[in-house]
Coordinates of all heavy atoms in Angstrom, one line a residue:
G1196 N 0.7 -1.1 0.0 CA 0.0 0.0 0.0 C 0.8 1.2 0.0 O 0.3 2.4 -0.3
Q1197 N 2.1 1.2 0.3 CA 2.9 2.4 0.4 C 4.1 2.1 -0.7 O 4.6 1.1 -0.9 CB 3.6 2.6 1.7 CG 2.6 3.1 2.7 CD 3.2 3.4 4.0 OE1 4.2 2.9 4.4 NE2 2.7 4.5 4.7
N1198 N 4.5 3.2 -1.4 CA 5.6 3.3 -2.3 C 5.3 2.2 -3.5 O 6.3 1.4 -3.9 CB 6.9 2.9 -1.6 CG 7.3 4.0 -0.6 OD1 7.1 5.2 -0.9 ND2 7.8 3.6 0.5
D1199 N 4.0 2.1 -3.9 CA 3.7 1.0 -4.9 C 4.0 1.6 -6.4 O 4.0 0.8 -7.3 CB 2.2 0.7 -4.9 CG 2.0 -0.1 -3.8 OD1 2.8 -0.7 -3.1 OD2 0.7 -0.3 -3.3
E1200 N 4.3 2.9 -6.4 CA 4.7 3.5 -7.7 C 5.7 4.5 -7.6 O 5.8 5.2 -6.6 CB 3.4 4.2 -8.3 CG 2.4 3.3 -9.0 CD 1.3 4.2 -9.7 OE1 1.2 5.4 -9.5 OE2 0.6 3.5 -10.5
L1201 N 6.6 4.5 -8.6 CA 7.6 5.5 -8.7 C 7.0 6.7 -9.7 O 6.8 6.4 -10.8 CB 8.9 5.0 -9.2 CG 10.1 5.9 -9.4 CD1 10.6 6.5 -8.1 CD2 11.2 5.2 -10.1
R1202 N 6.9 7.9 -9.0 CA 6.4 9.0 -9.7 C 7.3 10.2 -9.7 O 8.1 10.4 -8.8 CB 5.0 9.4 -9.1 CG 3.9 8.4 -9.3 CD 2.7 8.8 -8.5 NE 1.6 8.0 -8.8 CZ 0.5 8.4 -9.6 NH1 0.3 9.6 -10.1 NH2 -0.4 7.6 -9.8
V1203 N 7.0 11.2 -10.6 CA 7.6 12.4 -10.5 C 6.5 13.4 -10.0 O 5.4 13.4 -10.4 CB 8.0 12.9 -12.1 CG1 8.5 14.3 -12.0 CG2 9.0 12.0 -12.6
R1204 N 7.0 14.1 -9.0 CA 6.1 15.1 -8.3 C 6.9 16.4 -8.3 O 8.1 16.5 -8.2 CB 5.8 14.6 -6.9 CG 5.0 13.4 -6.9 CD 4.6 13.0 -5.6 NE 3.8 11.8 -5.6 CZ 2.7 11.6 -5.0 NH1 2.1 12.6 -4.3 NH2 2.2 10.5 -5.1
G1205 N 6.1 17.5 -8.4 CA 6.7 18.9 -8.4 C 5.7 19.9 -8.8 O 4.7 19.6 -9.5
N1206 N 5.9 21.1 -8.5 CA 5.0 22.2 -9.0 C 5.7 23.0 -10.0 O 7.0 23.0 -10.1 CB 4.8 23.1 -7.7 CG 4.1 22.5 -6.7 OD1 3.1 21.7 -6.9 ND2 4.4 22.7 -5.4
G1207 N 4.9 23.6 -10.8 CA 5.4 24.4 -12.0 C 6.1 23.6 -13.1 O 6.7 24.3 -13.9
I1208 N 5.7 22.4 -13.2 CA 6.4 21.5 -14.3 C 5.4 21.6 -15.6 O 4.2 21.3 -15.4 CB 6.5 20.0 -14.0 CG1 7.6 20.0 -12.8 CG2 6.9 19.2 -15.1 CD1 7.6 18.5 -12.2
T1209 N 5.9 22.1 -16.7 CA 5.1 22.2 -17.9 C 5.3 21.0 -18.8 O 4.5 20.8 -19.6 CB 5.4 23.6 -18.6 OG1 6.7 23.7 -19.0 CG2 4.9 24.8 -17.7
D1210 N 6.5 20.6 -18.8 CA 6.8 19.4 -19.7 C 7.7 18.4 -18.9 O 8.5 18.8 -18.2 CB 7.5 19.8 -21.0 CG 7.7 18.7 -21.9 OD1 6.8 18.1 -22.4 OD2 8.8 18.5 -22.3
M1211 N 7.3 17.0 -19.1 CA 8.0 16.1 -18.4 C 8.3 14.8 -19.3 O 7.4 14.4 -19.9 CB 7.2 15.6 -17.2 CG 7.9 14.6 -16.3 SD 6.7 13.9 -15.1 CE 6.1 12.5 -16.1
Q1212 N 9.5 14.2 -19.2 CA 9.7 12.9 -19.8 C 10.4 12.1 -18.9 O 11.4 12.4 -18.4 CB 10.6 13.2 -21.1 CG 10.0 14.0 -22.1 CD 11.0 14.5 -23.1 OE1 12.2 14.2 -23.1 NE2 10.6 15.3 -24.1
F1213 N 9.7 10.9 -18.5 CA 10.3 10.1 -17.4 C 10.6 8.7 -18.0 O 9.6 8.2 -18.6 CB 9.2 10.1 -16.3 CG 9.5 9.1 -15.2 CD1 10.7 9.0 -14.6 CD2 8.4 8.5 -14.6 CE1 11.0 8.0 -13.6 CE2 8.7 7.6 -13.4 CZ 10.0 7.4 -13.0
Y1214 N 11.6 8.2 -17.8 CA 12.0 6.9 -18.4 C 12.7 6.0 -17.3 O 13.5 6.5 -16.5 CB 13.1 7.1 -19.5 CG 12.6 8.0 -20.6 CD1 13.0 9.3 -20.7 CD2 11.8 7.5 -21.5 CE1 12.7 10.1 -21.7 CE2 11.4 8.3 -22.6 CZ 11.9 9.7 -22.6 OH 11.4 10.5 -23.6
V1215 N 12.5 4.7 -17.4 CA 13.0 3.7 -16.4 C 13.6 2.6 -17.2 O 13.0 2.1 -18.2 CB 12.0 3.1 -15.4 CG1 12.6 2.1 -14.5 CG2 11.3 4.2 -14.5
Y1216 N 14.8 2.2 -16.9 CA 15.6 1.2 -17.7 C 16.1 0.1 -16.9 O 16.4 0.3 -15.7 CB 16.9 1.9 -18.3 CG 16.6 3.0 -19.3 CD1 16.6 4.3 -18.8 CD2 16.4 2.8 -20.7 CE1 16.3 5.3 -19.6 CE2 16.2 3.9 -21.5 CZ 16.2 5.1 -21.0 OH 15.9 6.2 -21.8
N1217 N 16.1 -1.2 -17.3 CA 16.6 -2.1 -16.6 C 18.1 -2.3 -16.7 O 18.7 -1.4 -17.4 CB 16.0 -3.6 -17.1 CG 16.4 -4.0 -18.5 OD1 17.3 -3.5 -19.1 ND2 15.7 -5.0 -19.0
R1218 N 18.8 -3.3 -16.1 CA 20.2 -3.2 -16.0 C 20.9 -3.5 -17.3 O 22.1 -3.3 -17.5 CB 20.6 -4.4 -15.0 CG 20.4 -5.8 -15.4 CD 20.8 -6.6 -14.4 NE 20.5 -8.1 -14.8 CZ 20.9 -9.1 -14.1 NH1 21.7 -8.9 -12.9 NH2 20.4 -10.3 -14.5
Y1219 N 20.1 -4.0 -18.4 CA 20.7 -4.1 -19.8 C 20.4 -2.9 -20.6 O 20.8 -2.9 -21.8 CB 20.0 -5.3 -20.4 CG 20.2 -6.5 -19.6 CD1 19.1 -7.2 -18.9 CD2 21.4 -7.2 -19.5 CE1 19.3 -8.3 -18.1 CE2 21.5 -8.3 -18.7 CZ 20.6 -8.9 -18.0 OH 20.7 -10.0 -17.2
G1220 N 19.9 -1.8 -20.0 CA 19.6 -0.7 -20.8 C 18.3 -0.6 -21.6 O 18.0 0.2 -22.2
E1221 N 17.5 -1.7 -21.4 CA 16.2 -1.8 -22.1 C 15.2 -0.8 -21.3 O 14.9 -0.9 -20.1 CB 15.7 -3.2 -21.9 CG 14.4 -3.5 -22.8 CD 14.0 -5.0 -22.7 OE1 14.6 -5.7 -21.9 OE2 13.1 -5.3 -23.3
L1222 N 14.5 -0.1 -22.2 CA 13.4 0.8 -21.6 C 12.2 -0.1 -21.1 O 11.7 -0.8 -21.9 CB 13.0 1.7 -22.7 CG 11.9 2.8 -22.3 CD1 12.4 3.7 -21.3 CD2 11.5 3.4 -23.5
V1223 N 11.9 0.0 -19.9 CA 10.7 -0.7 -19.2 C 9.6 0.1 -18.9 O 8.5 -0.4 -18.7 CB 11.2 -1.6 -18.1 CG1 12.3 -2.6 -18.4 CG2 11.7 -0.7 -16.9
F1224 N 9.8 1.5 -19.0 CA 8.6 2.4 -18.7 C 9.0 3.7 -19.2 O 10.1 4.2 -19.2 CB 8.4 2.5 -17.2 CG 7.3 3.4 -16.6 CD1 6.1 3.1 -16.8 CD2 7.7 4.6 -16.2 CE1 5.1 3.9 -16.5 CE2 6.8 5.6 -15.8 CZ 5.4 5.2 -16.0
E1225 N 7.9 4.4 -19.6 CA 8.0 5.8 -20.0 C 6.7 6.5 -19.7 O 5.6 5.9 -19.7 CB 8.4 6.0 -21.4 CG 7.5 5.5 -22.5 CD 8.0 5.6 -23.8 OE1 8.3 6.7 -24.2 OE2 8.0 4.6 -24.6
S1226 N 6.8 7.9 -19.3 CA 5.6 8.6 -18.9 C 5.9 10.0 -19.3 O 7.0 10.4 -19.2 CB 5.3 8.5 -17.5 OG 4.2 9.2 -17.1
Y1227 N 4.8 10.7 -19.7 CA 5.0 12.2 -20.0 C 4.0 12.9 -19.2 O 3.7 14.1 -19.5 CB 4.6 12.3 -21.5 CG 5.8 11.5 -22.3 CD1 5.3 10.3 -22.8 CD2 6.9 12.0 -22.6 CE1 6.2 9.5 -23.5 CE2 7.8 11.2 -23.3 CZ 7.4 10.0 -23.8 OH 8.4 9.2 -24.6
T1228 N 3.5 12.4 -18.1 CA 2.6 13.1 -17.2 C 2.8 12.7 -15.7 O 3.2 11.6 -15.6 CB 1.2 12.8 -17.5 OG1 0.3 13.5 -16.6 CG2 0.8 11.4 -17.7
Q1229 N 2.6 13.6 -14.9 CA 2.8 13.4 -13.4 C 1.8 12.4 -12.9 O 1.9 11.9 -11.8 CB 2.9 14.6 -12.6 CG 4.1 15.5 -12.9 CD 4.0 16.6 -12.0 OE1 4.1 16.6 -10.8 NE2 4.0 17.8 -12.6
D1230 N 0.6 12.1 -13.7 CA -0.3 11.3 -13.1 C -0.1 9.8 -13.3 O -0.8 9.0 -12.8 CB -1.7 11.6 -14.0 CG -2.2 13.0 -13.8 OD1 -1.9 13.6 -12.6 OD2 -2.8 13.6 -14.7
R1231 N 0.9 9.5 -14.1 CA 1.3 8.1 -14.3 C 2.6 7.7 -13.9 O 3.6 8.3 -14.1 CB 1.2 7.8 -15.8 CG 1.3 6.4 -16.3 CD 0.9 6.2 -17.7 NE 1.4 4.8 -18.0 CZ 2.4 4.6 -18.8 NH1 3.0 5.5 -19.4 NH2 2.6 3.3 -19.2
G1232 N 2.7 6.7 -13.0 CA 3.9 6.3 -12.4 C 4.3 4.9 -12.7 O 3.5 4.2 -13.2
W1233 N 5.6 4.4 -12.4 CA 6.0 3.0 -12.7 C 5.6 2.2 -11.6 O 6.0 2.5 -10.5 CB 7.5 3.1 -12.9 CG 8.0 1.7 -13.3 CD1 7.5 0.8 -14.2 CD2 9.0 1.0 -12.7 NE1 8.3 -0.3 -14.2 CE2 9.2 -0.2 -13.3 CE3 9.9 1.4 -11.7 CZ2 10.2 -1.1 -13.0 CZ3 10.9 0.5 -11.3 CH2 11.1 -0.8 -11.9
D1234 N 4.9 1.1 -11.7 CA 4.5 0.1 -10.7 C 5.4 -1.2 -10.7 O 5.0 -2.1 -10.0 CB 3.1 -0.3 -10.9 CG 2.8 -0.9 -12.2 OD1 3.8 -1.2 -13.0 OD2 1.7 -1.3 -12.5
G1235 N 6.6 -1.2 -11.2 CA 7.5 -2.3 -11.2 C 7.2 -3.4 -12.2 O 7.6 -4.5 -12.0
T1236 N 6.4 -3.0 -13.3 CA 6.0 -4.0 -14.3 C 6.5 -3.6 -15.6 O 6.9 -2.5 -15.8 CB 4.5 -4.2 -14.3 OG1 3.9 -2.9 -14.8 CG2 3.9 -4.6 -13.1
F1237 N 6.6 -4.5 -16.5 CA 7.0 -4.3 -17.9 C 6.0 -5.2 -18.7 O 6.0 -6.5 -18.6 CB 8.4 -4.7 -18.1 CG 8.9 -4.4 -19.5 CD1 8.8 -3.3 -20.2 CD2 9.4 -5.5 -20.2 CE1 9.2 -3.2 -21.5 CE2 9.9 -5.5 -21.6 CZ 9.7 -4.1 -22.2
R1238 N 5.2 -4.6 -19.6 CA 4.3 -5.2 -20.5 C 3.3 -6.1 -19.6 O 3.1 -7.3 -19.8 CB 5.1 -6.2 -21.5 CG 5.8 -5.3 -22.5 CD 6.4 -6.1 -23.6 NE 7.2 -5.3 -24.4 CZ 8.2 -5.8 -25.1 NH1 8.5 -7.0 -25.1 NH2 8.9 -4.9 -25.9
R1239 N 2.9 -5.5 -18.5 CA 2.0 -6.1 -17.5 C 2.6 -7.3 -16.8 O 1.8 -8.0 -16.1 CB 0.6 -6.4 -18.3 CG -0.2 -5.2 -18.9 CD -1.4 -5.6 -19.4 NE -2.0 -4.4 -20.1 CZ -2.4 -4.3 -21.2 NH1 -2.5 -5.4 -22.0 NH2 -2.9 -3.3 -21.7
T1240 N 3.8 -7.5 -16.8 CA 4.4 -8.5 -16.1 C 5.3 -8.0 -14.9 O 6.1 -7.0 -15.2 CB 5.3 -9.4 -17.0 OG1 4.5 -9.9 -18.0 CG2 5.9 -10.6 -16.2
K1241 N 5.1 -8.5 -13.7 CA 5.9 -8.0 -12.6 C 7.4 -8.3 -12.8 O 7.6 -9.6 -13.2 CB 5.4 -8.7 -11.3 CG 4.1 -8.2 -10.8 CD 3.8 -8.8 -9.4 CE 2.5 -8.4 -8.9 NZ 2.1 -8.9 -7.7
L1242 N 8.3 -7.3 -12.6 CA 9.7 -7.5 -12.9 C 10.3 -8.1 -11.5 O 9.8 -7.9 -10.4 CB 10.3 -6.2 -13.2 CG 9.9 -5.7 -14.6 CD1 10.5 -4.3 -14.8 CD2 10.4 -6.7 -15.7
D1243 N 11.4 -8.8 -11.7 CA 12.1 -9.4 -10.6 C 12.8 -8.2 -9.9 O 13.1 -7.2 -10.5 CB 13.2 -10.4 -11.0 CG 12.6 -11.7 -11.5 OD1 11.4 -12.1 -11.2 OD2 13.2 -12.3 -12.4
P1244 N 13.0 -8.4 -8.5 CA 13.7 -7.3 -7.8 C 15.0 -7.1 -8.4 O 15.6 -7.9 -8.9 CB 13.9 -7.9 -6.3 CG 12.6 -8.9 -6.3 CD 12.5 -9.5 -7.7
G1245 N 15.5 -5.8 -8.3 CA 16.7 -5.4 -8.8 C 16.9 -4.0 -8.8 O 16.0 -3.2 -8.4
V1246 N 18.0 -3.4 -9.5 CA 18.3 -2.1 -9.5 C 17.9 -1.6 -11.0 O 18.2 -2.2 -11.9 CB 19.7 -1.8 -9.2 CG1 20.0 -0.2 -9.4 CG2 20.1 -2.2 -7.9
F1247 N 17.2 -0.4 -11.0 CA 16.8 0.1 -12.3 C 17.2 1.6 -12.3 O 17.2 2.3 -11.3 CB 15.2 0.1 -12.4 CG 14.7 -1.3 -12.5 CD1 14.6 -2.1 -11.3 CD2 14.4 -1.9 -13.8 CE1 14.0 -3.5 -11.4 CE2 13.9 -3.2 -13.8 CZ 13.8 -4.1 -12.6
A1248 N 17.5 2.0 -13.5 CA 18.1 3.4 -13.7 C 16.8 4.3 -14.3 O 15.9 3.7 -14.9 CB 19.1 3.4 -14.8
Y1249 N 16.8 5.5 -13.8 CA 15.8 6.4 -14.3 C 16.4 7.7 -14.9 O 17.5 8.0 -14.5 CB 14.8 6.7 -13.2 CG 15.3 7.6 -12.1 CD1 15.4 8.9 -12.1 CD2 15.7 7.0 -10.9 CE1 15.9 9.7 -11.1 CE2 16.3 7.7 -9.8 CZ 16.3 9.0 -9.9 OH 16.8 9.8 -8.9
M1250 N 15.7 8.4 -15.7 CA 16.1 9.6 -16.2 C 14.8 10.4 -16.4 O 13.8 9.9 -16.9 CB 16.7 9.4 -17.6 CG 17.6 10.6 -18.1 SD 16.7 11.8 -19.1 CE 16.2 10.8 -20.5
V1251 N 14.9 11.8 -16.0 CA 13.7 12.6 -16.1 C 14.2 13.8 -16.6 O 15.1 14.6 -16.2 CB 13.1 13.0 -14.7 CG1 11.9 13.8 -14.8 CG2 12.9 11.7 -13.9
R1252 N 13.6 14.4 -17.7 CA 13.7 15.6 -18.3 C 12.6 16.5 -17.9 O 11.4 16.1 -18.1 CB 13.8 15.6 -19.8 CG 15.2 15.1 -20.4 CD 15.1 15.3 -22.0 NE 16.3 14.8 -22.4 CZ 16.4 13.8 -23.3 NH1 15.3 13.3 -23.9 NH2 17.6 13.4 -23.7
L1253 N 12.9 17.7 -17.4 CA 11.8 18.5 -16.8 C 11.9 19.9 -17.4 O 13.1 20.4 -17.6 CB 11.9 18.7 -15.3 CG 11.7 17.4 -14.5 CD1 12.0 17.6 -13.0 CD2 10.2 16.9 -14.7
T1254 N 10.9 20.6 -17.7 CA 10.8 21.9 -18.1 C 9.8 22.6 -17.2 O 8.7 22.1 -17.0 CB 10.3 22.2 -19.6 OG1 11.2 21.4 -20.6 CG2 10.3 23.7 -20.0
Y1255 N 10.2 23.7 -16.6 CA 9.4 24.4 -15.6 C 8.7 25.5 -16.3 O 9.1 26.1 -17.4 CB 10.3 24.9 -14.4 CG 10.9 23.7 -13.7 CD1 12.1 23.2 -14.0 CD2 10.1 23.1 -12.6 CE1 12.6 22.2 -13.3 CE2 10.7 22.0 -12.0 CZ 11.8 21.6 -12.3 OH 12.4 20.5 -11.6
I1256 N 7.7 26.1 -15.6 CA 6.9 27.2 -16.0 C 7.8 28.4 -16.3 O 7.5 29.3 -17.3 CB 5.9 27.5 -15.1 CG1 4.7 28.5 -15.6 CG2 6.4 28.3 -13.8 CD1 3.4 28.4 -14.9
N1257 N 8.9 28.7 -15.7 CA 9.8 29.8 -15.9 C 10.8 29.6 -17.2 O 11.7 30.3 -17.4 CB 10.6 30.2 -14.7 CG 11.5 29.1 -14.3 OD1 11.6 28.1 -14.9 ND2 12.2 29.4 -13.1
G1258 N 10.7 28.3 -17.8 CA 11.5 28.0 -18.9 C 12.8 27.2 -18.5 O 13.5 26.7 -19.4
Y1259 N 13.0 27.1 -17.3 CA 14.3 26.4 -16.8 C 14.0 24.8 -17.1 O 13.0 24.3 -16.9 CB 14.3 26.6 -15.3 CG 15.6 25.9 -14.7 CD1 17.0 26.2 -15.0 CD2 15.4 24.7 -13.9 CE1 18.0 25.5 -14.5 CE2 16.4 24.0 -13.4 CZ 17.8 24.4 -13.6 OH 18.8 23.7 -13.2
Q1260 N 15.1 24.2 -17.6 CA 15.1 22.9 -17.9 C 16.2 22.2 -17.1 O 17.3 22.7 -16.9 CB 15.4 22.6 -19.4 CG 14.2 23.2 -20.3 CD 14.5 23.0 -21.8 OE1 15.6 22.7 -22.2 NE2 13.5 23.1 -22.5
E1261 N 16.0 20.9 -16.7 CA 16.9 20.1 -16.0 C 16.7 18.6 -16.3 O 15.5 18.2 -16.8 CB 17.0 20.3 -14.6 CG 15.8 19.9 -13.8 CD 15.9 20.1 -12.3 OE1 17.0 20.1 -11.8 OE2 14.9 20.3 -11.6
I1262 N 17.8 17.9 -16.2 CA 17.7 16.5 -16.5 C 18.2 15.8 -15.0 O 19.2 16.1 -14.5 CB 18.7 16.0 -17.6 CG1 18.1 16.5 -18.8 CG2 18.7 14.4 -17.6 CD1 19.1 16.2 -20.1
L1263 N 17.3 14.9 -14.6 CA 17.8 14.1 -13.3 C 17.9 12.7 -13.7 O 17.1 12.1 -14.5 CB 16.7 14.3 -12.3 CG 16.2 15.7 -12.0 CD1 15.0 15.7 -11.2 CD2 17.3 16.4 -11.3
K1264 N 19.0 12.1 -13.2 CA 19.3 10.8 -13.4 C 19.6 10.1 -12.0 O 20.2 10.7 -11.1 CB 20.6 10.6 -14.3 CG 20.4 11.1 -15.6 CD 21.7 11.0 -16.5 CE 21.5 11.6 -17.7 NZ 22.7 11.4 -18.6
G1265 N 19.3 8.7 -12.0 CA 19.7 8.0 -10.7 C 19.2 6.6 -10.9 O 19.0 6.0 -12.0
D1266 N 19.2 6.0 -9.8 CA 18.8 4.5 -9.7 C 17.7 4.3 -8.5 O 17.7 5.1 -7.6 CB 19.9 3.5 -9.7 CG 20.8 3.7 -8.5 OD1 20.3 3.4 -7.4 OD2 22.0 4.2 -8.6
V1267 N 17.0 3.2 -8.7 CA 16.0 3.0 -7.8 C 16.0 1.4 -7.6 O 16.2 0.6 -8.6 CB 14.6 3.4 -8.1 CG1 14.1 2.8 -9.4 CG2 13.6 3.1 -7.1
T1268 N 15.9 0.9 -6.4 CA 15.9 -0.6 -6.2 C 14.5 -1.0 -6.0 O 13.7 -0.6 -5.2 CB 16.8 -0.9 -4.9 OG1 18.1 -0.4 -5.1 CG2 16.7 -2.5 -4.6
L1269 N 14.1 -2.1 -6.7 CA 12.7 -2.6 -6.8 C 12.8 -3.9 -5.8 O 13.5 -4.7 -6.1 CB 12.3 -3.2 -8.1 CG 11.0 -3.9 -8.2 CD1 9.8 -3.0 -8.0 CD2 10.8 -4.5 -9.8
V1270 N 12.0 -3.8 -4.8 CA 11.9 -4.9 -3.8 C 10.4 -5.3 -3.8 O 9.5 -4.6 -4.1 CB 12.3 -4.5 -2.5 CG1 13.8 -4.2 -2.4 CG2 11.4 -3.3 -1.9
R1271 N 10.2 -6.6 -3.6 CA 8.9 -7.1 -3.5 C 8.6 -7.8 -2.2 O 9.5 -8.3 -1.5 CB 8.6 -8.2 -4.6 CG 8.7 -7.5 -5.9 CD 7.7 -8.1 -7.0 NE 7.8 -7.5 -8.2 CZ 7.1 -6.5 -8.6 NH1 6.1 -6.1 -7.8 NH2 7.1 -5.9 -9.8

């Protein structure tokens, strides 16, 4: 019931591109809205626990742009 989805949250975001990759560099999730987060699945199949990389491109209301990268560990 907690931390069931990985989401991008923030105020003043006008454009967003959110990607999650597995350890082989395969894209397992993408979203372009804050309303949709990653639930640890790929093609409706639960993925095994592991480390996944993410990348987020953000554009804010004032025109500022940034790219955030990191990793997240999926546990079940």
